[in-house]
Amino acid sequence: MFVRWENLEVGKENERPLPRLGADAVVRTFDAPEALDIRFHEVRAKSALNRVPKSSRMPFRWTINPYRGCSHACSYCMHGDTLILMGDGRAKPLAEVRVGDEIYGTVRRGNYRRYAITSVLNHWSSVKPAYRITLNDETELIASGDHRFLSNRGWKHVSGTEYGPLQRPHLTLNNKLMGTGKLAVQPEHTADYKRGYLCGMIRGDGHVGSYTYDRPGRSSGDVHRFRLALADLEALRRTKAYLAEQDVQTRDFVFHQAVGRQREIRAIRTSARGHVETVRDIIEWPRATSVDWCKGFLAGIFDGEGGFGGVIRIANTDQDIIEWTTYCLRRLAFPHIVERTGKENGMAYVRITGGLVESMRFFLTVDPAITRKRSIEGTAIKCNAKLGIAAIEPLGMDLRLYDITTGTGDFIANGVVSHNCFARPTHTYLDLGAGRDFEREIVVKVNVPEVARAELSRPSWKREHVALGTSTDPYQWVESRYKLMPDIWQALLDTDTPCSLVTKSPLALRDIDVLGDLAAGPGVSVYFSVPTLDEKTWRETEPHTPSPRARLDAVRKMNEAGVPSGILVAPLIPGVNDAPEQVGEIMRIAAENGAVSMATVPLHLRGEVKGIWFDWLRTYRPDLLPRYEELYKRGAYVPSEERKRIQQVVDEVRPKERPRRRPRPGTARSRRREDQAPAQQPTQRQESLF
């Protein structure tokens, strides 16, 4: 049995292999700064060639991945922040959803598909080539090409073709997705929000009063009362908690026993003069209002006097409350009308127009406490949302993309209906976590070169394109110890198999001779990711990767050796590395170094990464904080105007001419290829990777 031990003298074995890897797996660590706290699990693979599903958008059908997991730890592609509509009517980032959570999916009932609460059965992540789907209402979705969304013409993949092996139903600019569109950002429960909530709730449904009358046995006839009675305990508990923060202590009691279909009503109260005076002060109409106060007031008045039965209505007989309600709705740009009943008591209804789209925006923007009142279960998903496809853009890089399995087979992702994805990631299959385990538990298939050679040498092998680096970087640090790639390249070369590589590491130069032979023979393309030339920015965003300048130099050396090589400028960071002179410098050097292609992607701040990045800004670039708070206030991606600005910068500095691929002269293999007919030469399609 052949295993590559000769290069591993500095390693140390650990006797505890991961579950599902088998008893023969060897766990190894290395005494090197690059490998601290990382465990390498050596296994013997049964196969090397991984078949890409026919449904995939990729122009190749095969990959080879000698490693599972990656130690690069790039900070901008680790967490998913797509908002998922939860069963309580609130939203949570997809990466934070857990097995057992209740969320919204859909079911078909009668002529319509309707919203239904379902459970999360599984949750995982995978690293895949990513696309950005932008809708007409500026909703943004990041998904793999294989992911499916519900459109006005049924379920459709993000990408596909009309003919050929990639033929499948896929999204086009003529399609419209189904749902309400972009989920609004939930409010922070600030001091102003809480004060507004108490004002709306207590004025809407509470009682505050002070009276004077003779009471036998009492020296004073003054009586002070505050009481709030509700059947929905969520709003009662929120009110009690908010009052306690103002040092108003209340007592609970049963206001009305449950009788027949009538629910029990519970209440809170206080008769202390100081507490009642504090409550009265809290609910005074303010002379000046903040947006947070308005959100809180609308949440409170809705919990107290509102209802939802397909449309939101807030009822009251107090004209002041009606006027303050409409004022707050205008402040938050909610379309509405006031419906007067003509009754003697002055009853009027404030109704929010705009259908389910505006109702969902209201619920998420103001965050009422009562879950029952914000339920959309059973509501048909048809609505007037502007969800036409505005753009479908390949991001040009692999990202960690999260997914779930639900009881209904779908879920609501940023307001549109999303289908469960096909595959679970390999780390989840191995009972590993989706976060740091991907960086700290690396599976090494020590026999991949031998298995690959055997599979590529089969008579049935048709010499189709094989891609490396599409899942994890095969040139991460540990490749310098295991040295699996040279024999993999050699196997591809000897079997006349075209191939490609995406990497962040100049370690690929170690294998430049065999890559040169591949370029002159069956064909190979190499792409390096180069996000910035600033060392501090590089260290923050890609802490364990080689120097960007070393990557640019690798582009030059590859092209000088006849290996077509390009770059990916990602991420472009507003105010940090997106200045024309900075981007231009990267592209200028890349062009001078013969880069055959250049692509760019703006910075994403997903999940916890947003906080990490803002901490970096506070330390190194506090002047940019206001700009970032504005750019990323609605999510992880810059708005379309900023993307257009960045694209304009890129277009202005991008070199107009790109060097042609130069064949590597002087090898027997290149002379043999020149003698072959053009029709026999494989087509280079690496451009479609980006």
Side-chain angles (χ1 to χ4, degrees), residues 551-583:
R551 299 179 221 176
L552 284 169
D553 192 53
V555 171
R556 175 183 60 81
K557 292 178 180 178
M558 285 287 183
N559 282 298
E560 287 178 349
V563 181
S565 180
I567 65 165
L568 181 65
V569 185
L572 271 179
I573 308 168
V576 176
N577 73 335
D578 66 333
E581 59 271 17
Q582 293 175 294
V583 179

mmCIF file of all heavy atoms in Angstrom, residues 551-583:
data_model
loop_
_atom_site.group_PDB
_atom_site.id
_atom_site.type_symbol
_atom_site.label_atom_id
_atom_site.label_comp_id
_atom_site.label_asym_id
_atom_site.label_seq_id
_atom_site.Cartn_x
_atom_site.Cartn_y
_atom_site.Cartn_z
ATOM 1 N N ARG A 551 1.296 36.766 -5.716
ATOM 2 C CA ARG A 551 0.347 36.162 -6.658
ATOM 3 C C ARG A 551 0.451 36.823 -8.036
ATOM 4 O O ARG A 551 0.388 36.162 -9.073
ATOM 5 C CB ARG A 551 -1.077 36.290 -6.122
ATOM 6 C CG ARG A 551 -1.303 35.597 -4.792
ATOM 7 C CD ARG A 551 -2.729 35.788 -4.300
ATOM 8 N NE ARG A 551 -2.774 36.031 -2.871
ATOM 9 C CZ ARG A 551 -3.860 36.311 -2.191
ATOM 10 N NH1 ARG A 551 -5.017 36.387 -2.818
ATOM 11 N NH2 ARG A 551 -3.838 36.529 -0.878
ATOM 12 N N LEU A 552 0.586 38.167 -8.038
ATOM 13 C CA LEU A 552 0.748 38.866 -9.316
ATOM 14 C C LEU A 552 2.039 38.448 -10.007
ATOM 15 O O LEU A 552 2.084 38.300 -11.233
ATOM 16 C CB LEU A 552 0.731 40.376 -9.083
ATOM 17 C CG LEU A 552 -0.641 41.002 -8.808
ATOM 18 C CD1 LEU A 552 -0.491 42.435 -8.331
ATOM 19 C CD2 LEU A 552 -1.522 40.932 -10.042
ATOM 20 N N ASP A 553 3.070 38.281 -9.217
ATOM 21 C CA ASP A 553 4.325 37.813 -9.795
ATOM 22 C C ASP A 553 4.169 36.408 -10.348
ATOM 23 O O ASP A 553 4.770 36.057 -11.372
ATOM 24 C CB ASP A 553 5.431 37.844 -8.732
ATOM 25 C CG ASP A 553 6.808 37.640 -9.338
ATOM 26 O OD1 ASP A 553 7.163 38.385 -10.284
ATOM 27 O OD2 ASP A 553 7.537 36.735 -8.876
ATOM 28 N N ALA A 554 3.343 35.609 -9.681
ATOM 29 C CA ALA A 554 3.093 34.255 -10.179
ATOM 30 C C ALA A 554 2.367 34.291 -11.515
ATOM 31 O O ALA A 554 2.596 33.430 -12.378
ATOM 32 C CB ALA A 554 2.282 33.478 -9.152
ATOM 33 N N VAL A 555 1.477 35.297 -11.696
ATOM 34 C CA VAL A 555 0.804 35.451 -12.986
ATOM 35 C C VAL A 555 1.842 35.653 -14.089
ATOM 36 O O VAL A 555 1.770 35.046 -15.163
ATOM 37 C CB VAL A 555 -0.187 36.638 -12.946
ATOM 38 C CG1 VAL A 555 -0.735 36.940 -14.340
ATOM 39 C CG2 VAL A 555 -1.328 36.344 -11.980
ATOM 40 N N ARG A 556 2.820 36.532 -13.804
ATOM 41 C CA ARG A 556 3.869 36.790 -14.790
ATOM 42 C C ARG A 556 4.652 35.528 -15.116
ATOM 43 O O ARG A 556 4.866 35.183 -16.291
ATOM 44 C CB ARG A 556 4.818 37.865 -14.276
ATOM 45 C CG ARG A 556 6.031 38.122 -15.186
ATOM 46 C CD ARG A 556 6.968 39.150 -14.585
ATOM 47 N NE ARG A 556 7.496 38.725 -13.295
ATOM 48 C CZ ARG A 556 8.518 37.876 -13.156
ATOM 49 N NH1 ARG A 556 9.098 37.349 -14.226
ATOM 50 N NH2 ARG A 556 8.950 37.553 -11.958
ATOM 51 N N LYS A 557 5.083 34.829 -14.072
ATOM 52 C CA LYS A 557 5.907 33.638 -14.283
ATOM 53 C C LYS A 557 5.138 32.549 -15.025
ATOM 54 O O LYS A 557 5.699 31.842 -15.867
ATOM 55 C CB LYS A 557 6.418 33.126 -12.943
ATOM 56 C CG LYS A 557 7.426 34.067 -12.285
ATOM 57 C CD LYS A 557 7.871 33.560 -10.931
ATOM 58 C CE LYS A 557 8.880 34.524 -10.300
ATOM 59 N NZ LYS A 557 9.306 34.082 -8.945
ATOM 60 N N MET A 558 3.848 32.436 -14.722
ATOM 61 C CA MET A 558 3.042 31.450 -15.433
ATOM 62 C C MET A 558 2.953 31.790 -16.914
ATOM 63 O O MET A 558 3.154 30.941 -17.791
ATOM 64 C CB MET A 558 1.635 31.387 -14.825
ATOM 65 C CG MET A 558 1.553 30.673 -13.496
ATOM 66 S SD MET A 558 1.741 28.881 -13.687
ATOM 67 C CE MET A 558 1.488 28.361 -11.970
ATOM 68 N N ASN A 559 2.656 33.061 -17.207
ATOM 69 C CA ASN A 559 2.508 33.447 -18.602
ATOM 70 C C ASN A 559 3.833 33.379 -19.358
ATOM 71 O O ASN A 559 3.864 33.042 -20.538
ATOM 72 C CB ASN A 559 1.897 34.846 -18.687
ATOM 73 C CG ASN A 559 0.392 34.826 -18.433
ATOM 74 O OD1 ASN A 559 -0.373 34.217 -19.170
ATOM 75 N ND2 ASN A 559 -0.028 35.477 -17.360
ATOM 76 N N GLU A 560 4.932 33.728 -18.672
ATOM 77 C CA GLU A 560 6.242 33.609 -19.316
ATOM 78 C C GLU A 560 6.551 32.164 -19.661
ATOM 79 O O GLU A 560 7.265 31.878 -20.630
ATOM 80 C CB GLU A 560 7.328 34.175 -18.404
ATOM 81 C CG GLU A 560 7.330 35.699 -18.318
ATOM 82 C CD GLU A 560 8.387 36.219 -17.373
ATOM 83 O OE1 GLU A 560 8.969 35.391 -16.626
ATOM 84 O OE2 GLU A 560 8.627 37.439 -17.349
ATOM 85 N N ALA A 561 6.017 31.248 -18.868
ATOM 86 C CA ALA A 561 6.240 29.824 -19.124
ATOM 87 C C ALA A 561 5.224 29.259 -20.111
ATOM 88 O O ALA A 561 5.219 28.045 -20.358
ATOM 89 C CB ALA A 561 6.175 29.051 -17.812
ATOM 90 N N GLY A 562 4.369 30.132 -20.648
ATOM 91 C CA GLY A 562 3.380 29.666 -21.605
ATOM 92 C C GLY A 562 2.113 29.122 -20.987
ATOM 93 O O GLY A 562 1.304 28.509 -21.678
ATOM 94 N N VAL A 563 1.934 29.365 -19.690
ATOM 95 C CA VAL A 563 0.725 28.910 -18.998
ATOM 96 C C VAL A 563 -0.241 30.091 -18.905
ATOM 97 O O VAL A 563 0.040 31.052 -18.174
ATOM 98 C CB VAL A 563 1.043 28.386 -17.585
ATOM 99 C CG1 VAL A 563 -0.231 27.889 -16.908
ATOM 100 C CG2 VAL A 563 2.091 27.290 -17.644
ATOM 101 N N PRO A 564 -1.362 30.098 -19.621
ATOM 102 C CA PRO A 564 -2.280 31.243 -19.577
ATOM 103 C C PRO A 564 -2.803 31.460 -18.163
ATOM 104 O O PRO A 564 -3.393 30.569 -17.552
ATOM 105 C CB PRO A 564 -3.396 30.850 -20.547
ATOM 106 C CG PRO A 564 -3.302 29.372 -20.680
ATOM 107 C CD PRO A 564 -1.870 29.014 -20.498
ATOM 108 N N SER A 565 -2.596 32.670 -17.642
ATOM 109 C CA SER A 565 -2.929 32.963 -16.250
ATOM 110 C C SER A 565 -3.602 34.326 -16.151
ATOM 111 O O SER A 565 -3.216 35.267 -16.843
ATOM 112 C CB SER A 565 -1.659 32.939 -15.392
ATOM 113 O OG SER A 565 -1.955 33.210 -14.048
ATOM 114 N N GLY A 566 -4.619 34.441 -15.276
ATOM 115 C CA GLY A 566 -5.336 35.694 -15.077
ATOM 116 C C GLY A 566 -5.549 35.976 -13.604
ATOM 117 O O GLY A 566 -5.012 35.276 -12.737
ATOM 118 N N ILE A 567 -6.349 37.026 -13.305
ATOM 119 C CA ILE A 567 -6.581 37.421 -11.913
ATOM 120 C C ILE A 567 -8.060 37.652 -11.655
ATOM 121 O O ILE A 567 -8.850 37.883 -12.582
ATOM 122 C CB ILE A 567 -5.813 38.703 -11.527
ATOM 123 C CG1 ILE A 567 -6.332 39.898 -12.337
ATOM 124 C CG2 ILE A 567 -4.323 38.517 -11.666
ATOM 125 C CD1 ILE A 567 -5.911 41.236 -11.777
ATOM 126 N N LEU A 568 -8.412 37.612 -10.369
ATOM 127 C CA LEU A 568 -9.721 37.984 -9.884
ATOM 128 C C LEU A 568 -9.507 39.020 -8.795
ATOM 129 O O LEU A 568 -8.929 38.722 -7.753
ATOM 130 C CB LEU A 568 -10.450 36.763 -9.320
ATOM 131 C CG LEU A 568 -11.859 36.972 -8.782
ATOM 132 C CD1 LEU A 568 -12.801 37.382 -9.909
ATOM 133 C CD2 LEU A 568 -12.365 35.706 -8.102
ATOM 134 N N VAL A 569 -9.927 40.287 -9.027
ATOM 135 C CA VAL A 569 -9.787 41.357 -8.034
ATOM 136 C C VAL A 569 -11.012 41.299 -7.128
ATOM 137 O O VAL A 569 -12.062 41.836 -7.450
ATOM 138 C CB VAL A 569 -9.664 42.731 -8.693
ATOM 139 C CG1 VAL A 569 -9.391 43.811 -7.643
ATOM 140 C CG2 VAL A 569 -8.547 42.724 -9.729
ATOM 141 N N ALA A 570 -10.860 40.632 -5.996
ATOM 142 C CA ALA A 570 -12.013 40.419 -5.116
ATOM 143 C C ALA A 570 -11.536 40.195 -3.688
ATOM 144 O O ALA A 570 -10.613 39.416 -3.465
ATOM 145 C CB ALA A 570 -12.818 39.203 -5.595
ATOM 146 N N PRO A 571 -12.164 40.931 -2.729
ATOM 147 C CA PRO A 571 -13.242 41.891 -2.941
ATOM 148 C C PRO A 571 -12.710 43.291 -3.177
ATOM 149 O O PRO A 571 -11.648 43.645 -2.696
ATOM 150 C CB PRO A 571 -13.991 41.843 -1.619
ATOM 151 C CG PRO A 571 -12.898 41.605 -0.610
ATOM 152 C CD PRO A 571 -11.908 40.703 -1.288
ATOM 153 N N LEU A 572 -13.490 44.092 -3.915
ATOM 154 C CA LEU A 572 -13.229 45.526 -4.014
ATOM 155 C C LEU A 572 -13.902 46.202 -2.825
ATOM 156 O O LEU A 572 -15.117 46.086 -2.646
ATOM 157 C CB LEU A 572 -13.781 46.076 -5.325
ATOM 158 C CG LEU A 572 -12.823 46.020 -6.512
ATOM 159 C CD1 LEU A 572 -13.500 46.570 -7.748
ATOM 160 C CD2 LEU A 572 -11.560 46.801 -6.229
ATOM 161 N N ILE A 573 -13.130 46.907 -2.005
ATOM 162 C CA ILE A 573 -13.592 47.411 -0.716
ATOM 163 C C ILE A 573 -13.784 48.921 -0.805
ATOM 164 O O ILE A 573 -12.823 49.661 -0.981
ATOM 165 C CB ILE A 573 -12.575 47.059 0.385
ATOM 166 C CG1 ILE A 573 -12.266 45.561 0.345
ATOM 167 C CG2 ILE A 573 -13.087 47.470 1.749
ATOM 168 C CD1 ILE A 573 -11.068 45.168 1.183
ATOM 169 N N PRO A 574 -15.037 49.399 -0.697
ATOM 170 C CA PRO A 574 -15.289 50.844 -0.831
ATOM 171 C C PRO A 574 -14.430 51.671 0.115
ATOM 172 O O PRO A 574 -14.387 51.436 1.320
ATOM 173 C CB PRO A 574 -16.776 50.971 -0.476
ATOM 174 C CG PRO A 574 -17.357 49.635 -0.817
ATOM 175 C CD PRO A 574 -16.285 48.648 -0.483
ATOM 176 N N GLY A 575 -13.727 52.631 -0.456
ATOM 177 C CA GLY A 575 -12.915 53.536 0.343
ATOM 178 C C GLY A 575 -11.588 52.973 0.787
ATOM 179 O O GLY A 575 -10.775 53.689 1.385
ATOM 180 N N VAL A 576 -11.333 51.694 0.529
ATOM 181 C CA VAL A 576 -10.092 51.067 0.980
ATOM 182 C C VAL A 576 -9.216 50.663 -0.205
ATOM 183 O O VAL A 576 -8.052 51.034 -0.288
ATOM 184 C CB VAL A 576 -10.380 49.843 1.876
ATOM 185 C CG1 VAL A 576 -9.088 49.134 2.268
ATOM 186 C CG2 VAL A 576 -11.141 50.272 3.123
ATOM 187 N N ASN A 577 -9.796 49.907 -1.137
ATOM 188 C CA ASN A 577 -8.979 49.483 -2.280
ATOM 189 C C ASN A 577 -9.682 49.691 -3.615
ATOM 190 O O ASN A 577 -9.309 49.097 -4.616
ATOM 191 C CB ASN A 577 -8.585 48.008 -2.138
ATOM 192 C CG ASN A 577 -9.739 47.054 -2.384
ATOM 193 O OD1 ASN A 577 -10.897 47.419 -2.217
ATOM 194 N ND2 ASN A 577 -9.437 45.833 -2.759
ATOM 195 N N ASP A 578 -10.742 50.542 -3.612
ATOM 196 C CA ASP A 578 -11.485 50.731 -4.851
ATOM 197 C C ASP A 578 -11.147 52.032 -5.569
ATOM 198 O O ASP A 578 -11.787 52.376 -6.560
ATOM 199 C CB ASP A 578 -12.985 50.678 -4.578
ATOM 200 C CG ASP A 578 -13.452 51.844 -3.710
ATOM 201 O OD1 ASP A 578 -12.626 52.361 -2.930
ATOM 202 O OD2 ASP A 578 -14.628 52.223 -3.812
ATOM 203 N N ALA A 579 -10.177 52.775 -5.066
ATOM 204 C CA ALA A 579 -9.767 53.998 -5.751
ATOM 205 C C ALA A 579 -9.183 53.637 -7.111
ATOM 206 O O ALA A 579 -8.520 52.598 -7.258
ATOM 207 C CB ALA A 579 -8.733 54.745 -4.914
ATOM 208 N N PRO A 580 -9.438 54.465 -8.126
ATOM 209 C CA PRO A 580 -8.943 54.133 -9.467
ATOM 210 C C PRO A 580 -7.456 53.826 -9.503
ATOM 211 O O PRO A 580 -7.029 52.896 -10.204
ATOM 212 C CB PRO A 580 -9.282 55.395 -10.277
ATOM 213 C CG PRO A 580 -10.459 55.983 -9.568
ATOM 214 C CD PRO A 580 -10.239 55.703 -8.116
ATOM 215 N N GLU A 581 -6.662 54.598 -8.717
ATOM 216 C CA GLU A 581 -5.217 54.342 -8.763
ATOM 217 C C GLU A 581 -4.855 52.992 -8.151
ATOM 218 O O GLU A 581 -3.889 52.352 -8.577
ATOM 219 C CB GLU A 581 -4.470 55.470 -8.042
ATOM 220 C CG GLU A 581 -4.841 55.661 -6.574
ATOM 221 C CD GLU A 581 -5.999 56.610 -6.376
ATOM 222 O OE1 GLU A 581 -6.736 56.873 -7.364
ATOM 223 O OE2 GLU A 581 -6.169 57.096 -5.247
ATOM 224 N N GLN A 582 -5.659 52.524 -7.152
ATOM 225 C CA GLN A 582 -5.365 51.231 -6.535
ATOM 226 C C GLN A 582 -5.770 50.071 -7.443
ATOM 227 O O GLN A 582 -4.985 49.148 -7.671
ATOM 228 C CB GLN A 582 -6.080 51.125 -5.185
ATOM 229 C CG GLN A 582 -5.542 52.083 -4.139
ATOM 230 C CD GLN A 582 -6.368 52.026 -2.862
ATOM 231 O OE1 GLN A 582 -7.534 52.389 -2.847
ATOM 232 N NE2 GLN A 582 -5.755 51.573 -1.797
ATOM 233 N N VAL A 583 -7.015 50.130 -7.934
ATOM 234 C CA VAL A 583 -7.475 49.085 -8.847
ATOM 235 C C VAL A 583 -6.635 49.100 -10.118
ATOM 236 O O VAL A 583 -6.247 48.055 -10.643
ATOM 237 C CB VAL A 583 -8.966 49.271 -9.180
ATOM 238 C CG1 VAL A 583 -9.435 48.189 -10.145
ATOM 239 C CG2 VAL A 583 -9.805 49.247 -7.911
#
